[in-house]
Amino acid sequence: MNIYILTEITKREIDSNLLLAVKAASRGHNIIISNMNNFKSLIEKNLLKPGIFHTKSLVHDQKKRSFHELIKKSKLVLTSLDEENGLVRDDLKPFVEMRFSKKDLDICDKVFCWGKHDYISLKKKYPLHQKKFVMTGSPRLDMWKSNFSQYWNTKNQIKKKNILVTLNFALINGFETVEKIFMKYQKSGYFDRNKNYKDELNQYVKESHKILTEYIKLINNLISDFKGCNFIIRPHPREKISFWKKKINSKKNVLISNSGNFNEELASARLIIHNSSTTAFQAAINNVPIISFVPLISKISYGKISNKLGVICKNHREVKSNISKILKKKLKINDKKVQKIINYKLYNSGDLSTSKIINCWEELCKNMNTEEINYTKIKTQLFFVNKISDTKKFFYNLFSSKQENNK
């Protein structure tokens, strides 16, 4: 069986996709992992042989839909597992309306679900497509488990005194302006598919500015209060690190970085501090203590369920007090409450989610004739595609730099 896996955000997805690839290869299957532009080029050159095409989301914009239609015309089986996942939402109505549609489900063969919550919500919203939803869990969830602790523990930081602060301000501190992001969402139909989402997003932006200001104060106070601890400040992969380097006091015990995979930092963390982040689920799975810094009462439900995984602190004094308790091992965690949330949001069975997904792929392709992939032709095609892309980027950056200098 030939399997083609789409990757978008490498830091987030590459390790779990590699796990999928290795497990599938061990069962005799052929794998290619790449991005949308590369795969589009290979399809147009008729270089992808029949098999499975696995995408990281079903609905985004017309470009993505056209790409999926191209996949189906190429007689590939289309499956999806949404990497945005909706884990931090109590109410999945916006998620299932914006990230899925009847039209897109028509051309998809299977949709893999992270857990009970998205599985039940999707079946309820799209009853005509019920058989397409499969509760498997996610390969990313596999990578969060203790089975892979040695894989992530590459830094040999045995003392585990790191305080990991995870940031989630990609919307207001990203590489694109808020206005441009809103325009993209409008064009992609997000606001049409869910009528309340624009208002929710506006409120989220408003609250994020206030929380960000409080985060800056909190971090600068904490690095002075706990000089014996190392602080790893980790912005979201789509955030500008330069902003945080300007705002956070430069100290020997502070590292600001979002390189590599989050799990690498989690492996050496004594605790994490977050707000409304998926990283809380990763920490909870690994029994790493969680402090949820919630300096204001939100008017939206986004993020509240992930905040419940930790000790909710409203101000610097409460955060400082709970850090001290954690370091002294005097903080009691409500394990039953945490486990209830995890069991609802994540399908965390004994078997790897990766194996369940591959089982499903094998069932989908059991009557398909496998044609050998010509890797030599594929490598040659991608070499030229990437050379052209690099050239375009070079001239774009050169032109942008000249424009900036002429201002």
Side-chain angles (χ1 to χ4, degrees), residues 69-111:
E69 288 171 347
L70 181 64
I71 288 169
K72 294 304 291 183
K73 286 178 183 177
S74 303
K75 298 181 180 179
L76 293 164
V77 175
L78 180 63
T79 67
S80 175
L81 192 153
D82 200 299
E83 295 292 353
E84 299 298 331
N85 61 57
L87 287 184
V88 299
R89 289 184 173 275
D90 284 306
D91 179 11
L92 283 187
K93 187 173 184 289
F95 173 73
V96 300
E97 289 182 347
M98 290 183 299
R99 307 288 296 183
F100 301 86
S101 75
K102 292 178 181 177
K103 186 174 181 178
D104 293 279
L105 284 166
D106 283 340
I107 63 172
C108 184
D109 294 282
K110 290 292 179 183
V111 173

Side-chain angles (χ1 to χ4, degrees), residues 94-196:
F95 173 73
V96 300
E97 289 182 347
M98 290 183 299
R99 307 288 296 183
F100 301 86
S101 75
K102 292 178 181 177
K103 186 174 181 178
D104 293 279
L105 284 166
D106 283 340
I107 63 172
C108 184
D109 294 282
K110 290 292 179 183
V111 173
F112 303 124
C113 300
W114 282 70
K116 291 179 185 176
H117 196 188
D118 59 334
Y119 178 68
I120 293 168
S121 300
L122 284 165
K123 287 180 70 176
K124 183 179 179 181
K125 176 65 181 177
Y126 304 103
L128 296 178
H129 297 89
Q130 283 194 24
K131 292 183 179 179
K132 293 192 175 186
F133 304 118
V134 187
M135 188 162 58
T136 57
S138 167
R140 280 172 62 194
L141 170 59
D142 290 342
M143 300 298 292
W144 298 351
K145 295 178 181 177
S146 58
N147 315 39
F148 293 91
S149 58
Q150 290 302 311
Y151 176 85
W152 298 117
N153 195 13
T154 58
K155 298 188 177 183
N156 297 318
Q157 292 166 304
I158 301 169
K159 292 183 179 180
K160 294 188 74 172
K161 280 193 175 181
N162 294 339
I163 294 176
L164 177 55
V165 183
T166 66
L167 304 170
N168 192 25
F169 299 99
L171 189 57
I172 62 171
N173 181 39
F175 298 101
E176 295 180 322
T177 64
V178 172
E179 291 75 19
K180 189 172 182 179
I181 293 171
F182 268 66
M183 285 176 62
K184 279 188 174 182
Y185 285 172
Q186 181 70 58
K187 189 177 179 181
S188 300
Y190 280 26
F191 300 148
D192 294 326
R193 289 193 292 274
N194 184 271
K195 303 301 180 184
N196 299 321

